[in-house]
Amino acid sequence: MIELQQALLANMADCHPEIVTILSETLQAIASACARIGDIASQGVLADAHGLAASHNSQGEAQKKLDVLADECMSSALARCQHVAGWASEELEYVQASDAHGEQAPLLVVYDPLDGSSNIEANISIGTIFSILPHRYRGAKPGDADFMQPGHQQVAAGYVLYGPATLMVLTCRRGVMVFTLDKRSGLDNPRWVLTQDQVRIPKATREFAINASNQRFWEKPIQRYIAECVAGENGPRMKDFNMRWVASMVAEVHRIMTRGGVFLYPRDTREPFKPGRLRLMYEAAPMALLVQEAGGRAVNGTSELLDLLPDVLHQKVPVILGSKDEIDRIVSYHADPHENVSWQLFKTRSLFVQPQA
Ligand code: FBP
């Protein structure tokens, strides 16, 4: 069995040994923190990890106790890591500079400590998402500007899924690896065993994931795409599709890594100036790098997510990612100048195609 450190050495065999050591030690610090988060989550109410904390994050969202506990696990692990100059979290309003290593350390880490928090009490899979960026301006402690980097600048990215098994899926820009946590190994030196390497997302799929309760707010290209999927073999796609919605992005993306599919949290017309629900820096960008490294594609409808330059730390973006053929199609619908006509045509046609008795 190949464990995390050995797998990273092999995966980055073409890199300078110093870079391998820096990234490997940082990823092991993150992996250890996630083993602790998983342990607390698996204890549930026994660890007082359910319910609301008496606080809100900077986006005005009520924080869950596990959001706060998970953030404490990650931030304390990063503060101890000699390679991390600073970090930023969904649960912290501002970026944090490391007291001990802020000026000279080479890396910055951005993370969502607990993804899918609406599922905690329902005991449905949740996760942690992280992104590692270069600390470009060494010699000074990092500030907001240091973190404002497009996703294609990421050195590494990953997520940990706290499901029946605890899995860590990560990329150091040399393909995507999956590790399974050996929970019997304890928390002091958790064993993450490589259980899949060079993950590939199938280009074609018959499965999509979207929160259908928002349908009336979707823009036309998304209305058309989903309606065509739902129309199944009687519609223009001439094949049936299945739908899933876990309300945990980590679980949705892992399903796509496992068997393909499309995940959509598009812009909606409810708040036209709020471009989406998911955050660019610690949800969309790391997932986009993983999906792209596995042969999929990730966009906001018109642009590659990895090309988006963040303006602010908690910036939100539309997210559409997964099997490449479907994402190419969705992008073409956004680019289709006759989109309105195509959509109107489809709508009219579907009025006349009565469902089979
Ligand atoms: P959190 O990071 O605050 O949990 O929010 C993100 C998220 O839970 C995603 O994991 C998920 O895809 C989405 O929000 C669910 O949204 P909705 O509640 O609208 O279905």
Side-chain angles (χ1 to χ4, degrees):
M1 288 204 200
I2 302 176
E3 296 187 26
L4 180 60
Q5 188 175 7
Q6 208 187 339
L8 292 172
L9 283 176
N11 181 263
M12 293 186 277
D14 61 328
C15 296
H16 188 285
E18 192 192 341
I19 291 176
V20 178
T21 303
I22 289 169
L23 208 41
S24 169
E25 291 179 358
T26 305
L27 286 166
Q28 288 180 71
I30 291 171
S32 295
C34 290
R36 288 187 185 285
I37 296 169
D39 182 62
I40 297 169
S42 68
Q43 295 282 90
V45 288
L46 302 178
D48 192 22
H50 283 192
L52 289 173
S55 51
H56 289 70
N57 67 20
S58 61
Q59 296 125 77
E61 295 163 346
Q63 290 179 309
K64 295 282 184 86
K65 287 179 181 172
L66 194 52
D67 285 325
V68 176
L69 290 167
D71 187 68
E72 285 164 4
C73 288
M74 279 293 268
S75 51
S76 58
L78 296 173
R80 290 192 302 274
C81 182
Q82 61 171 319
H83 309 301
V84 175
W87 57 92
S89 163
E90 178 184 333
E91 303 308 331
L92 301 171
E93 181 160 8
Y94 303 108
V95 304
Q96 312 291 308
S98 168
D99 293 336
H101 314 291
E103 289 172 9
Q104 290 310 330
L107 300 176
L108 305 173
V109 179
V110 195
Y111 62 91
D112 176 357
L114 208 287
D115 177 62
S117 43
S118 66
N119 282 328
I120 296 168
E121 291 77 16
N123 205 31
I124 297 170
S125 296
I126 50 181
T128 296
I129 310 172
F130 59 89
S131 164
I132 302 180
L133 295 162
H135 177 204
R136 295 171 297 179
Y137 311 117
R138 308 258 287 270
K141 288 195 172 176
D144 274 16
D146 294 276
F147 285 81
M148 299 301 121
Q149 302 181 45
H152 55 66
Q153 297 276 73
Q154 293 175 93
V155 176
Y159 60 79
V160 173
L161 175 62
Y162 310 111
T166 296
L167 303 178
M168 177 166 62
V169 178
L170 68 91
T171 183
C172 300
R173 308 196 72 119
R174 286 160 179 76
V176 175
M177 298 172 276
V178 180
F179 297 86
T180 301
L181 176 63
D182 176 358
K183 291 181 185 171
R184 298 160 305 176
S185 62
L187 296 177
D188 295 336
N189 190 13
R191 283 183 72 226
W192 292 89
V193 179
L194 181 69
T195 43
Q196 194 182 349
D197 200 0
Q198 299 302 321
V199 174
R200 300 307 292 169
I201 297 174
K203 288 178 62 147
T205 182
R206 292 173 175 238
E207 199 163 59
F208 65 90
I210 194 166
N211 182 340
S213 68
N214 297 329
Q215 182 191 10
R216 63 194 182 286
F217 303 119
W218 297 335
E219 294 179 327
K220 292 238 166 13
I222 300 298
Q223 295 273 11
R224 175 184 173 189
Y225 176 74
I226 298 297
E228 289 183 353
C229 292
V230 172
E233 62 181 7
N234 295 326
R237 302 299 307 274
M238 295 188 282
K239 62 179 181 177
D240 288 341
F241 282 74
N242 205 351
M243 192 199 121
R244 290 282 182 270
W245 188 247
V246 186
S248 283
M249 185 187 192
V250 172
E252 317 275 10
V253 170
H254 194 67
R255 187 186 57 247
I256 290 171
M257 287 286 176
T258 308
R259 64 182 191 222
V262 179
F263 169 82
L264 310 96
Y265 213 115
R267 166 197 314 273
D268 71 38
T269 56
R270 234 173 322 193
E271 299 173 272
F273 302 106
K274 193 175 97 179
R277 164 127 173 54
L278 302 171
R279 281 50 62 119
L280 174 57
M281 294 197 69
Y282 43 80
E283 290 170 323
M287 291 305 203
L289 185 64
L290 287 159
V291 164
Q292 186 170 289
E293 283 283 324
R297 188 175 177 192
V299 299
N300 64 358
T302 51
S303 308
E304 306 304 315
L305 283 174
L306 291 178
D307 294 340
L308 302 182
L309 179 61
D311 303 321
V312 291
L313 183 56
H314 303 289
Q315 177 175 340
K316 297 182 175 182
V317 288
V319 175
I320 301 165
L321 56 78
S323 293
K324 191 172 180 313
D325 291 354
E326 293 301 306
I327 308 303
D328 293 349
R329 175 183 288 269
I330 295 169
V331 169
S332 75
Y333 287 5
H334 282 78
D336 177 354
H338 308 296
E339 167 38 54
N340 221 8
V341 179
S342 319
W343 163 244
Q344 296 307 335
L345 258 181
F346 168 66
K347 269 207 319 188
T348 318
R349 197 171 47 240
S350 61
L351 283 175
F352 296 105
V353 178
Q354 300 308 320
Q356 309 297 317

